[in-house]
């Protein structure tokens, strides 16, 4: 019986306690809206530990967005050295933000549950097929 690593569980958006159950009901870039399971389909952990818990994920999403905006801004500067119009930067950063939004929504919650929630701990007893 093999145990799931934390990195693998985070990359695949799995439950932080059992690392087996999915956090989300559908795929990241689908046409339907992203839905999260209320409780883990594998171990029954309630993901929203307290009411409004996922508001905290907004701060994580904000940090990811700032990192992407800075990266895209620097890349835009390197690519378009001659063009100094601020609109080039605004449009490039807006497009990048929209494109990463589904990724951001998902992984801000994954990071919150896996790295920033001391009450939720990995329990190998639940990590079985
Ligand atoms: Zn679980």
């Amino acid at each position: 019986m093999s145990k799931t690593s934390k990195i693998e569980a985070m990359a695949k958006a799995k439950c932080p306690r059992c690392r087996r159950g999915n956090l989300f009901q559908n795929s990241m870039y689908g046409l339907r809206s992203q839905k999260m399971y209320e409780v883990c389909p594998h171990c029954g952990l309630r993901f929203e530990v307290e009411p409004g818990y996922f508001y905290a994920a907004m701060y994580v999403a904000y940090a990811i967005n700032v990192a992407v905006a800075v990266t895209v801004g620097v890349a835009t500067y390197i690519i378009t050295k001659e063009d100094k119009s601020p609109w080039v930067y605004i449009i490039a950063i807006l497009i990048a933000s929209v494109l990463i939004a589904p990724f951001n929504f998902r992984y801000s919650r994954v990071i919150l549950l896996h790295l920033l929630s001391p009450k939720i701990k990995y329990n190998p007893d639940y990590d079985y097929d």
Side-chain angles (χ1 to χ4, degrees):
M1 184 166 70
S2 67
K3 299 293 176 193
T4 318
S5 75
K6 185 165 196 151
I7 300 291
E8 189 189 347
M10 287 182 70
K12 292 179 176 172
K14 298 289 185 187
C15 165
R17 185 165 76 178
C18 63
R19 296 182 181 170
R20 293 277 171 163
N22 287 326
L23 289 174
F24 293 90
Q25 297 176 18
N26 38 25
S27 66
M28 182 156 52
Y29 282 93
L31 289 174
R32 290 185 304 149
S33 65
Q34 298 202 41
K35 271 208 149 137
M36 227 179 147
Y37 287 109
E38 261 182 47
V39 295
C40 174
H42 185 78
C43 73
L45 172 73
R46 174 168 286 282
F47 294 135
E48 192 171 16
V49 191
E50 47 199 56
Y53 188 66
F54 288 115
Y55 281 110
M58 283 196 314
Y59 297 103
V60 181
Y62 176 71
I64 295 173
N65 242 327
V66 168
V68 168
V70 169
T71 308
V72 170
V74 170
T76 305
Y77 176 78
I78 292 168
I79 294 167
T80 64
K81 277 199 173 84
E82 303 300 315
D83 199 338
K84 294 293 178 228
S85 165
W87 287 105
V88 175
Y89 293 94
I90 292 168
I91 290 167
I93 289 170
L94 276 179
I95 290 171
S97 301
V98 169
L99 285 180
I100 66 147
F103 169 89
N104 207 347
F105 174 82
R106 181 166 290 221
Y107 283 98
S108 61
R109 290 175 177 216
V110 169
I111 290 170
L112 177 73
L113 287 173
H114 278 266
L115 302 179
L116 305 172
S117 301
K119 278 187 206 164
I120 303 174
K121 286 207 168 60
Y122 170 58
N123 186 340
D125 293 345
Y126 289 104
D127 194 353
Y128 57 85
D129 282 317

